[in-house]
Amino acid sequence: MQHLVFTFALLSFLALATEAGDWCYQSQFTCDHQCNTPDKWNHANSDCAGSYQSPINVVTRKTLVDERLTPFKFTNYQQIFKGYIKNNGHSVQVEVPHLSTISEGGLSTAYKAVQFHLHWGKNGGPGSEHTIDGEQYPMELHIVHMKHHYTDLSTALADSEGVAVLGFFYEKSNSANRKYDPIINSIQKIQAAGGNTSLQAVSLAQLILPEQNLTSFYRYKGSLTTPGCTQSVVWTLFENPIPLSSEQLRAFSNLKFHDGKSMVDNFRPLQPLNGRQVFRSGATVALASTALLMAALASSLGMSQLN
């Protein structure tokens, strides 16, 4: 009898453990599939209930200029590489050779690229994780980096600032962005979860905007946006969006979650700031604008005195 009780207790524990790990997005929840939606991700990992979670809504009027947020230095971002693109059951992900690095931009050290993945809505509808003044973009790219001296992401996540993620928004364009052809062509081959295929030669630089368009950005301290929600991420959100056509954006909605449902709305809801400060770059621009304004005022006063 005791053996039966122990067996039942063990099975119950295993069932609960399995349920706890079965996290999902709200778009996956049905009566037949009652997984842990974002409001219950703390059941999958307690860190998801932390005080410094991501994503957030950036209220631009409440951001503070930080003069340390100088333009980034992108090293080897132009480097062409071949790899694999995978449908991991909740997004598409590409592992990146640890050759491309970022530095400056207010970072304490250099960080090397590890992988990139995306979050999107439904058929090109709102789907970014972060929002700016309440505006949700169709899609968001995350290029994940770790401090240059670490060899794996799990070790980097144990460092309170071990990971730096660059976030890029997308906007609908009237014409296709041909630089994204390798990505769009590949995802048509990995619609089922677990699918992976070789990726045509690509560089990180071709997926983002030219460096001169990447000087305006926001910075805050946050977390991973999926379980385990580790609070070790230095976030950078670039202001200028990347253009993609409606057809290119819709292509991502043809992918499938691990449960077979259409992979749509794979974004985490906004998280509270809990007293965190969001900073912005552009101190030089702001000072220049002030100087121009003062010069204009001085000139105007001089003219009025002459009159």
Side-chain angles (χ1 to χ4, degrees), residues 112-233:
K112 55 189 176 185
V114 179
Q115 53 102 328
F116 68 83
H117 61 271
L118 301 109
H119 300 268
W120 57 88
K122 181 177 181 180
N123 294 323
S128 66
E129 294 211 295
H130 292 87
T131 60
I132 306 295
D133 291 328
E135 180 181 359
Q136 187 176 23
Y137 293 83
M139 191 161 69
E140 185 172 334
L141 167 67
H142 293 162
I143 306 181
V144 182
H145 303 71
M146 62 184 177
K147 283 185 177 178
H148 64 94
H149 57 272
Y150 291 126
T151 56
D152 64 272
L153 196 56
S154 58
T155 304
L157 286 168
D159 180 336
S160 63
E161 292 189 352
V163 175
V165 179
L166 303 186
F168 300 85
F169 299 113
Y170 292 82
E171 65 179 356
K172 289 182 182 178
S173 170
N174 292 329
S175 57
N177 185 341
R178 298 272 69 104
K179 293 179 180 180
Y180 268 75
D181 284 350
I183 304 293
I184 303 301
N185 293 338
S186 296
I187 63 176
Q188 296 172 8
K189 304 174 184 176
I190 56 168
Q191 292 188 7
N196 70 86
T197 188
S198 58
L199 182 65
Q200 300 170 34
V202 70
S203 72
L204 291 177
Q206 78 183 66
L207 300 178
I208 62 178
L209 297 173
E211 285 188 38
Q212 61 266 28
N213 295 333
L214 298 176
T215 57
S216 297
F217 55 87
Y218 302 98
R219 167 68 47 76
Y220 79 99
K221 184 67 166 50
S223 72
L224 299 179
T225 62
T226 57
C229 306
T230 314
Q231 298 180 155
S232 304
V233 181

Side-chain angles (χ1 to χ4, degrees), residues 250-261:
R250 285 197 300 268
F252 289 86
S253 295
N254 294 326
L255 294 161
K256 304 293 182 185
F257 285 119
H258 61 80
D259 56 14
K261 296 184 178 68

Side-chain angles (χ1 to χ4, degrees), residues 41-112:
W41 280 3
N42 61 308
H43 295 176
N45 192 294
S46 59
D47 286 350
C48 296
S51 299
Y52 302 103
Q53 290 291 292
S54 299
I56 63 166
N57 174 46
V58 175
V59 181
T60 55
R61 64 180 174 82
K62 293 184 178 181
T63 60
L64 292 179
V65 170
D66 187 341
E67 294 180 7
R68 294 169 297 180
L69 300 185
T70 56
F72 279 88
K73 180 181 179 181
F74 296 91
T75 304
N76 291 329
Y77 254 59
Q78 298 282 356
Q79 184 84 29
I80 300 290
F81 66 90
K82 290 184 178 180
Y84 289 89
I85 184 169
K86 181 177 181 179
N87 176 342
N88 61 19
H90 53 83
S91 181
V92 290
Q93 183 169 308
V94 175
E95 304 298 320
V96 177
H98 300 173
L99 301 172
S100 304
T101 64
I102 54 173
S103 57
E104 302 181 18
L107 298 177
S108 61
T109 186
Y111 289 74
K112 55 189 176 185

